[in-house]
Amino acid sequence: MIKQREQWGSKLGFILAAAGSAVGLGNIWKFPYLVGENGGAAFIILYLICVLLVGLPAVMAEILIGRTTQKNPVGCFRELSKKNPFWMGVGLLGIITGFIILSYYNVIAGWSLGYIIESVKGSFHNMENPEIAGELFFQNSTNFKWVLPLHAGFMFFTIAIIYSGVNKGIEKASKFLMPALLLFIFILVVRGITLDGAQKGIDYLLKADFSSVTAKTVSLALGQAFFSLSLGMGALLTYGSYMSKKDNIITSSVSIVALDTLIAIFAGFMIFPALFALQMQPDQGPALIFNILPVMFNSIPGGYFFRILFFILLSVAALTSTISLLEVITAYVVDEFKIPRKKATILLGVIVFLIGIPNALSFGVMQDFTIFGKTFFNLFDYIASNIFLPLGGLCITIFVGWFWKKQDVVDNITEGSKGISPIIINIWFYLVKFIVPVLIFLIFLTSLGIITI
Ligand code: TRP
């Protein structure tokens, strides 16, 4: 018996699930340190422009492909391109990228789980400065007995949700986890901005210093928008494939993009006022979350509690993203190879866990094992974020703008979007046809070092 393909139970369920995919380590870990290193509000403004000009149109394009065909990335392109191998290859590239990203993303997600435990244990008590926290972080991240069980544990949670399916798994989890995430972030923002001396951090986030903006900054902002919105590998396409034709792609996309962007900015307001209040430096890069924040909470009233809350927040944000990554590859295997969902989920979860082992060990026993001068972890991140995602995004938007009949594109996006003016749809279409691919292409060349400005 062929089971009917599942659909989201409600429009809200879809929005929360897709926003859950978007909101992740990218928002809470990466966005704040990029802001800190690249001129505060100036970076935020650039980021907002990238989101509006490239991110939102690309989100709509991906969801549209998925909803129109109701298939996994490879199936979508098979149907729309009439079995053209190049376009099916684009779908397959998305699946491969899914394996790669999940295999290293899950490692960091595991760390955040580990930091909930460290926080509960009170490991950061009496730590006066970030160096000592850095020491603990070094000990943990280089110790395979710490990283591997956490990598396995986080994969277990991810598998458990995907195992239960689209409605009972992803949708139900998102409906519970996303409101919780919003509540936690709200509590932490209020805590941050009400500290004595927080004003300096708020000023830093609101005052734009364009003197430090270069072409590299623009490329960072666009790359971040892409990663943060889960674009370029068919994640939104897969979630879109469970969407009903009655639902509005345009307003849903606006809600998803708005939620993702707001949460990134909130993460800034959660971290910077507190950093400045405690006279710590904003431009600490990736170490910000694991070395500086845990110590920062020591000087905050109620810090023990807020620190635990922060790492729960980070883990929840990561979990709603890892499930979207596992869902993409699961949908592919279930559709294309007719393997039952439950079996496919466990099989794929275990495979990704195994691929992830060298990534998990990249900070410790395998740190000297390098390919092209990069550890496994850095290589996987580089290939996915700098090559495969932009390439996938480029191909997906070029397909919608140039290879799909315009009338079909317009008819499909209009379905379920009654009341949206044709002018808006046209603006979107021409953005996808011209502006988005050109910008992605330029950034692609910049990030590969082919253009240096
Ligand atoms: N958007 C997530 C974040 O910001 C990460 C993520 C989940 C992702 N699914 C993706 C990135 C698909 C690229 C493609 O953390």
Side-chain angles (χ1 to χ4, degrees):
M1 185 189 77
I2 297 177
K3 273 220 310 231
Q4 228 201 321
R5 194 179 175 80
E6 280 190 89
Q7 277 200 341
W8 304 110
S10 66
K11 184 177 160 195
L12 183 70
F14 165 66
I15 292 175
L16 290 178
S21 166
V23 174
L25 298 170
N27 303 57
I28 295 171
W29 168 63
K30 198 160 182 205
F31 184 78
Y33 87 71
L34 285 175
V35 172
E37 289 183 329
N38 294 285
F43 186 83
I44 300 183
I45 294 170
L46 274 179
Y47 180 78
L48 292 178
I49 297 173
C50 292
V51 163
L52 279 180
L53 223 56
V54 180
L56 180 61
V59 165
M60 288 164 58
E62 266 204 34
I63 296 178
L64 175 70
I65 296 180
R67 194 191 62 168
T68 303
T69 54
Q70 312 263 305
K71 293 201 164 61
N72 74 89
V74 175
C76 282
F77 279 107
R78 177 185 297 112
E79 183 175 317
L80 292 175
S81 74
K82 309 207 173 49
K83 300 203 175 144
N84 177 315
F86 174 81
W87 294 112
M88 285 166 66
V90 171
L92 198 59
L93 179 71
I95 310 297
I96 295 169
T97 314
F99 272 102
I100 298 181
I101 298 185
L102 184 54
S103 76
Y104 70 82
Y105 194 94
N106 193 70
V107 171
I108 312 282
W111 292 355
S112 61
L113 205 57
Y115 266 60
I116 301 180
I117 302 168
E118 295 286 359
S119 303
V120 172
K121 281 201 317 209
S123 307
F124 305 100
H125 258 26
N126 307 323
M127 278 192 187
E128 285 111 43
N129 63 48
E131 267 104 74
I132 310 176
E135 191 62 33
L136 176 71
F137 180 65
F138 178 78
Q139 271 170 24
N140 282 337
S141 60
T142 53
N143 179 1
F144 69 91
K145 287 191 202 136
W146 191 75
V147 287
L148 287 182
L150 291 169
H151 175 45
F154 210 91
M155 189 52 79
F156 173 81
F157 289 128
T158 307
I159 293 175
I161 295 175
I162 295 304
Y163 184 86
S164 311
V166 175
N167 294 121
K168 293 210 188 80
I170 305 174
E171 186 167 359
K172 207 163 144 199
S174 306
K175 277 186 155 165
F176 166 68
L177 294 174
M178 289 306 284
L181 185 138
L182 283 170
L183 176 71
F184 293 172
I185 207 162
F186 178 74
I187 296 174
L188 287 163
V189 169
V190 171
R191 176 65 285 188
I193 58 179
T194 49
L195 290 169
D196 282 343
Q199 189 60 37
K200 271 208 218 108
I202 300 174
D203 289 346
Y204 183 80
L205 285 169
L206 296 181
K207 213 165 54 211
D209 167 20
F210 278 97
S211 65
S212 55
V213 170
T214 60
K216 181 99 192 24
T217 327
V218 183
S219 126
L220 280 175
L222 189 63
Q224 172 65 11
F226 232 74
F227 188 82
S228 188
L229 290 168
S230 301
L231 283 168
M233 56 147 281
L236 292 173
L237 183 154
T238 304
Y239 275 16
S241 75
Y242 304 119
M243 190 182 184
S244 147
K245 305 244 172 182
K246 288 194 223 84
D247 284 338
N248 188 324
I249 295 186
I250 303 175
T251 53
S252 308
S253 302
V254 171
S255 312
I256 295 162
V257 170
L259 268 170
D260 184 60
T261 309
L262 270 178
I263 292 181
I265 292 175
F266 272 14
F269 276 99
M270 165 171 92
I271 293 170
F272 286 107
L275 269 185
F276 277 84
L278 304 169
Q279 279 143 24
M280 291 177 171
Q281 292 304 315
D283 53 349
Q284 297 296 319
L288 192 63
I289 284 217
F290 293 108
N291 298 353
I292 301 176
L293 282 190
V295 178
M296 178 181 96
F297 284 111
N298 277 344
S299 340
I300 291 178
Y304 176 80
F305 163 76
F306 288 112
R307 188 189 296 115
I308 298 173
L309 199 63
F310 175 78
F311 285 108
I312 294 178
L313 167 78
L314 193 62
S315 305
V316 167
L319 183 61
T320 51
S321 297
T322 53
I323 58 178
S324 78
L325 289 158
L326 186 59
E327 178 58 30
V328 174
I329 54 185
T330 304
Y332 165 70
V333 167
V334 170
D335 282 2
E336 301 287 321
F337 302 98
K338 308 281 173 264
I339 297 180
R341 184 180 182 92
K342 291 190 156 72
K343 227 193 210 158
T345 310
I346 296 178
L347 184 70
L348 292 165
V350 171
I351 293 176
V352 177
F353 169 75
L354 295 175
I355 304 176
I357 290 178
N359 294 328
L361 301 180
S362 284
F363 303 83
V365 288
M366 287 180 72
Q367 61 180 327
D368 294 323
F369 192 96
T370 55
I371 302 169
F372 303 123
K374 287 181 164 37
T375 60
F376 266 101
F377 185 97
N378 290 338
L379 185 73
F380 273 36
D381 181 28
Y382 182 81
I383 293 178
S385 311
N386 295 324
I387 303 177
F388 287 0
L389 287 182
L391 201 61
L394 189 65
C395 293
I396 290 170
T397 47
I398 288 181
F399 183 81
V400 174
W402 296 85
F403 287 88
W404 198 353
K405 229 171 76 204
K406 182 178 176 200
Q407 197 53 50
D408 284 350
V409 174
V410 172
D411 288 349
N412 277 301
I413 199 141
T414 311
E415 197 171 358
S417 321
K418 303 249 150 35
I420 304 260
S421 139
I423 301 176
I424 303 232
I425 293 180
N426 257 308
I427 295 179
W428 165 75
F429 184 77
Y430 287 105
L431 279 172
V432 168
K433 192 173 172 97
F434 298 108
I435 308 288
V436 178
V438 169
L439 285 177
I440 299 177
F441 190 63
L442 285 178
I443 294 311
F444 189 36
L445 296 184
T446 321
S447 74
L448 290 185
I450 295 173
I451 325 184
T452 41
I453 328 173

